[in-house]
Amino acid sequence: MYDPSMRVLTVLELLQARESVTGAELARALEVSPRTVQRYIARLQDLGIPVEGRRGVGGAYTLKPGFRLPPLMFTGEEALSLALGLRALHLLGLDALAPAAHAASAKLARTLPHALRQTVQALESAVQLDASPWVVSTDAALLSALLGAVNAAQTVEFLYTSPKSPAQTRRVDVYRALHLDGRWYAVGRCHLRDALRSFRLDRMTGLQVLDEIFTAPPDFNALAYLRSILPAPAPALQNSGPQISVWLAAPPEELRGRVSVWFTQISAEAGGTRLRGRRENLAHFAPFLLGLDCDFRVDSPPELLAAFARLGVRCAAVGVPGGGGPKNGGTAREKTGG
C-alpha cells in the first residue's frame, strides 16, 4: 500500500484527525500487523511527536492535547504562491507585517526539500515587485481587529477624521473590508447617518469592537458599492485635453494621496516626480499645482503657462505679492492649499 515513511505519516494524520485511535484501527487502515503499528508509534515518539497511550494490542493512541503539526509538504506551485504572497504584503500597505512576513518566509524555506527550496529561491530572484507610491500604509493591528468584527458581525466604534469634517466618533456595522486603489476601506451601515457609508482605515483611530450584533445583508458587494461612489473622470475625457508634462520637486512618496492617479502617469525623475497626462480644464489644473506647495517646472503645454499668466494677473489685481505666474523652465511656490 505505502512505503514505510508514508505509513508513519499516515499514522500522524489519523492521530491529528481523531481524538483517539486504537491499534487495531491503525492496523486495518495501514494494512499492517498490530506489532508494526507499535513500531510506527515508537518512530513518531523518537521524532519528538507526543503520542500517548498503551502500546499493547488493544491499546488506544492519542496526541498530547493542544499539539498540532502543520502540513509541511508543498508542491512547487504552492510554495511559490506562498513565497510571493509574503513578499507582496507591502503592496497592500501592510508594512508593519514585514517582520512577521520575513519570519514566515524563513520557516517556509526550512520546510522545503533542498531542490524545491532552490527552485523557489531562483524564481523569487527573477521577480520584481514594485509598490505604487500611492499605496497608503495601514495599521495591521487595526485591520486585524476590524476583520474579526466583520467575521463576528459585531458593531465597531472609532474616531474618524476626514478633510471635509472634524474628527467624529462613528459607530458602524461593517459588512466588508476591502483594498482598492492603494487604500483599505470599511463599508457598512453608519449609525450616525443611518445609511450605507465607506470609511478609509488610515483615517480611523481608537477602534473598539462592541458587544452589539448585527445582520449583514446577504451577498453584499462592497467592491461594487465603493466603485459606484468613488469619484472618477468620465471615460470620454481619457484622451481629451492637451497633453501635460510637469516636473515636481518632491519624490512620489511625498505626493501620495495629493495627486490623482486617474489617467495620469507618475514616475520618479531627477530626485523629484514627473507627471504626465491629459487635462481638459487647465484653468483648474494650474492652481492645483500651486496648492501642492512644492517647486515645479512646466515643460508642456504652452496653454498651461498661459493659464498661470492669467492666474498671476488675477493675483496681482487683488494685491497678492509676487503675482505674474511662472515662466517656462522656472518654478512656482504657493503657500495656500489646493
Side-chain angles (χ1 to χ4, degrees):
M1 178 182 173
Y2 307 110
D3 61 44
S5 60
M6 288 301 298
R7 285 172 174 161
V8 172
L9 290 175
T10 301
V11 171
L12 179 57
E13 291 294 334
L14 291 172
L15 290 172
Q16 290 192 113
R18 299 170 59 177
E19 187 172 337
S20 66
V21 188
T22 68
E25 289 171 333
L26 290 173
R28 285 195 297 270
L30 300 173
E31 300 177 357
V32 297
S33 69
R35 188 173 296 277
T36 301
V37 168
Q38 294 175 25
R39 290 203 300 269
Y40 293 159
I41 295 295
R43 177 73 64 84
L44 289 173
Q45 292 172 332
D46 291 341
L47 293 172
I49 307 299
V51 182
E52 300 176 343
R54 299 186 305 274
R55 294 190 181 184
V57 175
Y61 301 99
T62 62
L63 284 175
K64 183 178 180 180
F67 176 82
R68 283 292 182 271
L69 185 68
L72 301 180
M73 293 181 296
F74 301 99
T75 66
E77 290 183 348
E78 290 171 342
L80 180 60
S81 65
L82 289 171
L84 292 180
L86 291 169
R87 288 183 58 190
L89 278 175
H90 69 286
L91 300 179
L92 299 177
L94 300 176
D95 297 332
L97 293 181
H102 288 313
S105 181
K107 290 179 181 178
L108 174 64
R110 289 197 299 268
T111 66
L112 298 178
H114 179 71
L116 181 55
R117 181 167 63 250
Q118 285 188 320
T119 300
V120 170
Q121 289 174 345
L123 291 173
E124 279 189 292
S125 65
V127 174
Q128 288 184 304
L129 300 177
D130 182 26
S132 165
W134 315 116
V135 173
V136 177
S137 181
T138 299
D139 185 342
L142 186 148
L143 175 61
S144 178
L146 183 68
L147 293 176
V150 172
N151 183 61
Q154 290 179 264
T155 302
V156 297
E157 187 175 86
F158 51 85
L159 192 66
Y160 193 73
T161 305
S162 72
K164 297 182 180 179
S165 62
Q168 289 183 314
T169 298
R170 295 296 188 98
R171 184 170 294 191
V172 182
D173 301 335
V174 180
Y175 302 152
R176 293 287 188 277
L178 69 156
H179 187 266
L180 178 65
D181 291 338
R183 297 176 175 87
W184 281 96
Y185 293 87
V187 178
R189 186 181 74 88
C190 174
H191 289 208
L192 179 65
R193 307 300 184 195
D194 192 24
L196 197 61
R197 290 290 188 270
S198 68
F199 301 91
R200 281 173 47 175
L201 268 65
D202 60 294
R203 294 175 176 173
M204 294 181 183
T205 55
L207 179 79
Q208 296 183 13
V209 180
L210 308 179
D211 293 332
E212 299 177 29
I213 303 297
F214 64 88
T215 301
D219 303 322
F220 177 72
N221 191 331
L223 181 60
Y225 167 76
L226 199 57
R227 288 194 180 281
S228 72
I229 64 170
L230 289 179
L237 297 181
Q238 181 174 359
N239 295 314
S240 64
Q243 177 73 44
I244 62 170
S245 179
V246 177
W247 181 83
L248 301 164
E253 56 269 19
E254 289 187 11
L255 299 173
R256 178 183 300 157
R258 300 163 61 194
V259 177
S260 172
V261 296
W262 289 96
F263 306 137
T264 303
Q265 180 183 349
I266 305 292
S267 58
E269 179 183 310
T273 300
R274 171 64 62 180
L275 185 152
R276 294 185 178 89
R278 292 184 183 274
R279 291 297 184 272
E280 184 75 13
N281 194 327
L282 297 179
H284 289 173
F285 187 65
F288 160 76
L289 287 175
L290 290 174
L292 291 177
D293 194 25
C294 69
D295 291 343
F296 61 88
R297 183 182 70 244
V298 175
D299 293 327
S300 66
E303 292 88 346
L304 181 55
L305 294 170
F308 276 113
R310 290 191 296 271
L311 187 61
V313 171
R314 292 182 59 190
C315 290
V318 295
V320 176
K327 297 181 179 181
N328 192 13
T331 61
R333 179 179 290 273
E334 185 72 22
K335 294 298 183 182
T336 58

